[in-house]
Amino acid sequence: MTAYPILTAATFLPLVGAALILLIRSDRAARWMALTTTLATLALSIPLYLGFDKTSSALQFVESAEWIPSWGIAYSLGVDGISLPFIFLAAVLSVLCIGASWAAVRTRVREFYAALLVAETAMIGLFAASNLFLFYMFWELMIVPLFLLIGVWGGPGRIYAAVKFLLFTLSGSVLMLVGMIALYQSLGTLDFKALADAPSSLSPEQQAWLFAAFLAAFAVKVPMFPVHTWLPDAHTEAPTAGSVILAGILLKMGAYGFLRVSLPVLPDGAQLFLKPMLVISAVAIVYGAYVTLVQKDVKRLIAFSSISHMGFVTLGIFTLNRSGVEGAILQMINHGIISAALFLCVGMIYERTHTRQIQDYGGVAKVAPIYSTLLALFCLAAAGFPGLNSFVGEFLIVGGAFQTSGWLGAMAIWGVVLGTTYLVWLFYRMVMGETHPGLAGLRLELNAREVATLAPLALLALCLGLYPECVLSYLRAPVAELLAGVPR
Amino acid sequence: MNGVSASDLVLLLPELILVGTCLVLLLAARPIQANRAVPLALVGTVLAAVAAAVASGWLLSRGAATGFGGMFRVDGYSQFFKLLITATLVLTALFSVRSIEDEKLPRAEYFVLLLLASTGMMFAASALDLLTLYLGVELMTLCAYILVGIRVERPKSNEAAIKYFLLGSFASALLLYGISLTYGVTGATDFGGIAQALSEGDGENPILLLGIVLVAAGLAFKIAAVPFHAWAPDAYEGASTPVAAFLAAGFKAAGLAALGRVCLIAFHTESQLLSMALTGLAALSIIVGSLMALSQTDMKRLLAYSSIAHAGYALLGLIAGTSEGTSATMTYAFFYVFMTLGTFGVVIALGERGQKLDGYQGLAVQRPVTAALMLLFLLSLTGIPPTAGFVAKFVVILSAVRAGHTTLAVVAVVCSVVSAFIYMRVAVLMYMKEPEEPAPSRIPMAISAALGLAALVTLIGGLFPGGLTSWAVAP
């Protein structure tokens, strides 16, 4: 245990930074302030990884203080092996978002960085929360800065995208509110641990309704198949940093909710919904991949690929076997790294060409070799190339799917094949061949700041691909405990 | 009944302070009108309100007491609402500085009417007898008719006042009729006597049931719950904006205070009927208020429909008929008052530009702080944490779920998404559009101070709701 409340500090340091940024006057100072804050937050979180006991499935670095005594709700934080990697991911991506926005954001700079930092507080707080009330607070808090990031600094269709994002996520989360209140009413507590220990007092019918209520919120965030339509608009219109946060963290919040609430607290409800969840996950994988194939807009293409990739994650979670769930969590991290990297790549070249149409590109390799190399690495990683990170995650998920049903495994394999197709084809159209005449005279090669922004992600993709144990070792104990509580 | 003693009068201390200030203001009306430099009437009103709040707190510290032959009650419940009413009065008075100047309102009379209306609200909060209740409610409503029409040279204001008066008199008649029917059956007008008579077996009498429904309807009119809401949008639109804020905040608080005590003490044996009636009122108010607000382009009309929807949310707590539910409604009323006053405060701060929805275009570029405050209040009205509006929504929905009305809870939250669309439309205009009009003029100190207070309560209430929720104790 450390001498100071490390989780509280990591959660609220960005908020303090946001407040300071709003107080200072100069845009330049705001940038540096934001960078310092995110770096400090990342540094602050390092003792978490060093001091974490991987053999234990219990919450660690627990902090608890009285908050609303009349309702019996405490301010309690704590991390286990499932939430810890996400805190790391959130802290890293926040730093890179600042780097990616350094030159791209020119209007209302201070407000932009303040919104980014508020989002960082919400992200870290969400993964550190150890009771449902606090979880919900951060869940909702996340909506506000992202609504503004998309709507103020986004592309031409930004207002439509922002409002659509807001209404979709809010519709889901208000149902979660009713579910949370019903849970509180029946069990008298909102602490994750206490909720998970007392599931027997809920009848299967109650559990089914509660599962549906939470599903509404989580499915929209993931997003699962029929409620995914906000995602392409939001990701496409958002500024690069917004897309990175959306794809990197926000989508993981829904899947994390399944692992934190739906499975441990409502095992019978999960049991009832198991088959439909598996089916719509498989549909998302294949349908998402086919829709991705026909996209003409690079950013939209990557956005749609997220639907397919997140389908793998939900498929893995609901196989309810060790391989599937561990693979799903690993894949969440992988997708966070790779889709963030791909959005950063697209954003960097868009700043120079101001077009997102694939047909306006071609032969980028000749003018921007470093960029092309990095893009190749990330495309291969996303396609599940062995030696890069997604391979391990997809392999585990597909393995888990085959244990559940051969059909699901086949669908997942088909999804991998399609994924490889659209990514390689994208790379082929953009990077190979003759240089597109429209690109003549543009300086497409990356500068040092941009390389520094992408390099950590490339490094992570390689590390996780060659040595996935560095994440999997955290997952073993908590996943084992999670699955022990769920009947199969 | 015994005569009035000195100890009875002490219980009236907060009300007496307000009435005394009224008399002083009326006597000094001429110098107040003449002296434009120092807002004497404003300072007097604010000081009186603060003194009344202190007196309310002092009375509470002496313990609960009943006076005037069982007609007037001082307890945690009444003092909770009295503090809320004095806060409403202070904020409204501060918000009025600009409109008094711009619209040439009669200074002394304007504040006198505000003070008297607040006195009426306080009586309603303390009433332990249907007649005290009626007097309190009527005092506040009569003052409100004049306040709505106080911009005499504006036809719209006169029209609004007349409409409001006609509908309001009808509602008062309903209330009075309900009181007389109740009296006819139970032989009592005091809450204790009514409850006793009902428990002894008059519960099934159809005339009594009619009486109860009429009393509830009369009070529902005061809080503008659907289907008794038709006056609100017109009255708010025609009234000067601070008056509209006063109506939206203070009237709801006082009406809910009266309704809460009537439901919980006088008619508690009839909780089944009341629960049915209140469920209907709440569901209709939430649905109609949220949907009608969608198409509004006038800010005050939009806020009127939003306040109708919020009346419905507040009623969710009373449906249960338990003291827990009532304290949920108290919490809702408390936070609602501050976030609504805050929203109206921004409308007032922007002057003419704030009246139309389009006026909010590009506000975040021109006035970042004002826009941020508006965003905070709008988020709170939507019920997004960490604002007070979320805590308020949480407690009333918890109370509805506890009472077994899960479907109603789902309807309520789904409608809150509809209203989110309206509130966020203002946010979209403020943050995502370029300004088309010149920046609004400087905001007077008084208005900034009041906005700051409302924002503070909205934020602190959302982050640390523990203190307030334990303080909101039902009678």
Side-chain angles (χ1 to χ4, degrees):
Chain A
M1 287 294 115
T2 42
Y4 59 97
I6 180 167
L7 284 173
T8 302
T11 304
F12 291 103
L13 184 66
L15 200 62
V16 174
L20 289 177
I21 283 178
L22 289 177
L23 288 178
I24 52 183
R25 285 275 150 234
S26 111
D27 289 350
R28 210 182 118 76
R31 276 188 200 108
W32 282 104
M33 185 74 213
L35 186 65
T36 319
T37 311
T38 48
L39 282 173
T41 309
L42 183 61
L44 204 60
S45 70
I46 286 174
L48 286 178
Y49 323 116
L50 298 180
F52 192 83
D53 175 12
K54 294 177 190 176
T55 55
S56 160
S57 66
L59 285 179
Q60 303 181 30
F61 301 98
V62 175
E63 293 164 24
S64 189
E66 210 169 63
W67 186 20
I68 315 173
S70 50
W71 302 347
I73 290 171
Y75 168 82
S76 56
L77 300 177
V79 284
D80 66 1
I82 297 179
S83 49
L84 195 61
F86 291 104
I87 292 182
F88 174 69
L89 187 65
V92 170
L93 288 185
S94 298
V95 179
L96 303 182
C97 281
I98 310 285
S101 316
W102 204 264
V105 174
R106 300 228 162 267
T107 54
R108 297 202 233 167
V109 177
R110 291 180 306 136
E111 286 91 337
F112 178 85
Y113 288 109
L116 263 185
L117 290 176
V118 173
E120 188 182 4
T121 287
M123 295 188 283
I124 297 180
L126 182 108
F127 292 116
S130 71
N131 73 60
L132 188 52
F133 192 81
L134 206 56
F135 176 88
Y136 185 82
M137 292 277 257
F138 287 118
W139 178 279
E140 292 277 82
L141 179 64
M142 185 76 183
I143 298 178
V144 183
L146 274 167
F147 171 67
L148 292 175
L149 281 175
I150 301 170
V152 180
W153 293 277
R158 61 207 162 88
I159 293 178
Y160 172 78
V163 172
K164 194 169 178 183
F165 163 75
L166 182 88
L167 292 181
F168 265 78
T169 44
L170 212 55
S171 314
S173 61
V174 292
L175 293 176
M176 167 153 85
L177 175 65
V178 177
M180 170 170 97
I181 285 172
L183 261 185
Y184 178 59
Q185 149 70 7
S186 333
L187 300 179
T189 176
L190 285 175
D191 188 76
F192 283 138
K193 186 96 182 73
L195 284 174
D197 289 345
S200 50
S201 52
L202 290 170
S203 72
E205 196 197 337
Q206 276 177 314
Q207 290 204 21
W209 280 108
L210 287 170
F211 189 91
F214 284 100
L215 176 64
F218 300 151
V220 169
K221 276 267 158 78
V222 166
M224 296 180 76
F225 164 58
V227 287
H228 63 277
T229 59
W230 65 270
L231 179 138
D233 291 309
H235 283 54
T236 311
E237 296 301 333
T240 304
S243 308
V244 168
I245 289 182
L246 280 170
I249 303 293
L250 188 110
L251 303 192
K252 312 309 176 288
M253 287 162 49
Y256 179 75
F258 283 128
L259 297 167
R260 204 35 103 213
V261 183
S262 303
L263 293 187
V265 183
L266 309 164
D268 296 342
Q271 201 54 46
L272 203 67
F273 278 82
L274 201 58
K275 282 218 172 75
M277 300 308 288
L278 288 171
V279 171
I280 58 174
S281 302
V283 170
I285 293 175
V286 176
Y287 165 83
Y290 272 113
V291 178
T292 311
L293 266 176
V294 299
Q295 296 305 314
K296 297 188 169 66
D297 177 322
V298 197
K299 212 170 172 188
R300 228 177 152 75
L301 188 146
I302 297 167
F304 268 110
S305 78
S306 288
I307 297 171
S308 179
H309 283 135
M310 289 311 286
F312 279 100
V313 171
T314 48
L315 180 71
I317 290 175
F318 285 98
T319 57
L320 294 185
N321 55 48
R322 215 189 98 191
S323 163
V325 175
E326 283 184 6
I329 301 170
L330 179 62
Q331 191 60 7
M332 280 154 77
I333 302 287
N334 290 339
H335 180 255
I337 295 167
I338 297 166
S339 65
L342 287 173
F343 276 120
L344 288 171
C345 286
V346 173
M348 285 167 186
I349 201 154
Y350 175 80
E351 281 171 38
R352 295 162 167 81
T353 60
H354 300 286
T355 174
R356 291 193 310 243
Q357 298 302 314
I358 300 174
Q359 60 183 17
D360 295 338
Y361 290 96
V364 173
K366 289 191 180 140
V367 280
I370 301 178
Y371 176 83
S372 304
T373 314
L374 284 168
L375 186 64
L377 178 82
F378 293 127
C379 279
L380 287 175
F385 193 75
L388 293 167
N389 55 354
S390 266
F391 173 72
V392 190
E394 285 180 358
F395 186 85
L396 286 171
I397 293 171
V398 172
F402 270 116
Q403 284 180 36
T404 306
S405 138
W407 281 105
L408 287 172
M411 296 279 265
I413 294 278
W414 187 233
V416 176
V417 171
L418 289 172
T420 314
T421 315
Y422 61 69
L423 284 159
V424 171
W425 193 31
L426 169 77
F427 186 76
Y428 171 76
R429 284 181 290 175
M430 277 184 75
V431 178
M432 317 288 260
E434 286 304 309
T435 307
H436 191 279
L439 301 180
L442 291 172
R443 284 175 52 91
L444 292 186
E445 192 52 295
L446 301 181
N447 60 32
R449 172 181 58 80
E450 289 166 331
V451 173
T453 307
L454 287 174
L457 292 175
L459 215 61
L460 279 174
L462 275 169
C463 275
L464 284 180
L466 297 172
Y467 188 65
E469 193 61 16
C470 57
V471 169
L472 287 175
S473 61
Y474 285 100
L475 304 181
R476 214 136 280 153
V479 168
E481 197 196 78
L482 178 74
L483 292 176
V486 187
R488 301 241 294 279
Chain B
M1 281 194 202
N2 352 339
V4 173
S5 67
S7 62
D8 285 343
L9 282 177
V10 172
L11 297 181
L12 275 185
L13 191 59
E15 289 83 354
L16 287 175
I17 292 173
L18 295 190
V19 175
T21 317
C22 283
L23 295 177
V24 173
L25 285 181
L26 279 180
L27 287 175
R30 187 171 284 274
I32 285 172
Q33 195 65 28
N35 186 346
R36 295 197 169 273
V38 189
L40 275 178
L42 170 68
V43 173
T45 307
V46 171
L47 286 181
V50 171
V54 172
S56 303
W58 174 68
L59 283 176
L60 181 61
S61 71
R62 293 169 72 224
T66 311
F68 297 96
M71 296 178 91
F72 192 86
R73 174 86 176 151
V74 170
D75 56 11
Y77 182 76
S78 69
Q79 304 315 87
F80 178 88
F81 277 106
K82 282 182 190 177
L83 282 181
L84 190 55
I85 290 161
T86 49
T88 311
L89 179 60
V90 170
L91 292 182
T92 313
L94 292 174
F95 284 146
S96 307
V97 281
R98 184 185 265 166
S99 45
I100 286 188
E101 215 51 66
D102 295 352
E103 297 166 2
K104 303 201 172 46
L105 304 181
R107 288 157 189 253
E109 288 88 331
Y110 177 81
F111 285 107
V112 165
L113 286 167
L114 282 184
L115 284 163
L116 278 180
S118 308
T119 314
M121 291 173 189
M122 288 185 165
F123 269 103
S126 270
L128 207 57
D129 187 297
L130 286 176
L131 290 177
T132 324
L133 181 94
Y134 181 75
L135 286 178
V137 166
E138 275 317 280
L139 178 58
M140 75 177 191
T141 322
L142 283 173
C143 296
Y145 298 145
I146 312 174
L147 279 171
V148 168
I150 204 163
R151 300 194 290 181
V152 273
E153 75 285 3
R154 294 204 187 189
K156 203 154 197 180
S157 173
N158 296 337
E159 186 195 324
I162 290 171
K163 266 188 197 162
Y164 182 24
F165 175 69
L166 287 176
L167 289 171
S169 326
F170 183 65
S172 300
L174 288 184
L175 179 57
L176 203 53
Y177 197 42
I179 292 174
S180 64
L181 288 179
T182 310
Y183 178 65
V185 175
T186 61
T189 55
D190 64 306
F191 293 173
I194 293 171
Q196 201 183 348
L198 290 184
S199 64
E200 283 163 10
D202 280 328
E204 295 300 315
N205 191 330
I207 296 180
L208 175 80
L209 299 185
L210 181 64
I212 295 175
V213 168
L214 287 177
V215 169
L219 291 174
F221 181 89
K222 306 297 172 198
I223 60 170
V226 177
F228 308 101
H229 67 291
W231 60 276
D234 290 333
Y236 289 16
E237 191 190 4
S240 166
T241 317
V243 173
F246 188 64
L247 291 183
F251 267 52
K252 302 260 153 143
L256 286 169
L259 203 55
R261 210 192 277 271
V262 169
C263 292
L264 205 59
I265 300 198
F267 297 140
H268 71 92
T269 52
E270 305 297 312
S271 58
Q272 206 181 349
L273 170 76
L274 276 173
S275 155
M276 229 157 64
L278 292 174
T279 307
L281 284 174
L284 278 177
S285 305
I286 293 172
I287 296 170
V288 173
S290 309
L291 289 180
M292 289 296 288
L294 279 176
S295 57
Q296 304 304 322
T297 55
D298 182 285
M299 203 56 195
K300 279 193 286 186
R301 285 188 84 86
L302 192 159
L303 288 176
Y305 282 110
S306 126
S307 83
I308 290 167
H310 281 284
Y313 287 108
L315 286 177
L316 288 178
L318 293 181
I319 289 172
T322 58
S323 45
E324 264 176 348
T326 310
S327 73
T329 295
M330 291 166 78
T331 309
Y332 200 94
F334 190 90
F335 289 140
Y336 164 79
V337 160
F338 282 96
M339 63 204 191
T340 299
L341 282 174
T343 320
F344 271 105
V346 175
V347 175
I348 293 164
L350 297 179
E352 211 40 53
R353 191 178 156 182
Q355 308 283 320
K356 291 281 162 220
L357 204 54
D358 292 341
Y360 290 82
Q361 278 199 19
L363 190 68
V365 179
Q366 295 168 320
R367 287 266 179 275
V369 178
T370 315
L373 285 178
M374 188 66 166
L375 183 66
L376 173 72
F377 295 129
L378 290 171
L379 288 175
S380 185
L381 287 173
T382 315
I384 291 181
T387 59
F390 166 67
V391 175
K393 199 161 87 174
F394 183 84
V395 290
V396 290
I397 287 175
L398 176 62
S399 153
V401 170
R402 281 214 169 121
H405 294 279
T406 314
T407 323
L408 186 61
V410 172
V411 170
V413 296
V414 168
C415 286
S416 81
V417 178
V418 175
S419 53
F421 180 73
I422 312 150
Y423 298 132
M424 288 306 115
R425 200 166 64 176
V426 182
V428 165
L429 286 171
M430 289 193 305
Y431 279 92
M432 302 171 195
K433 299 264 184 177
E434 291 307 312
E436 288 181 347
E437 292 175 64
S441 54
R442 261 183 59 88
I443 302 170
M445 269 293 284
I447 295 181
S448 309
L451 276 178
L453 181 63
L456 205 65
V457 174
T458 308
L459 207 55
I460 303 277
L463 289 173
F464 307 102
L468 183 92
T469 48
S470 55
W471 184 41
V473 187

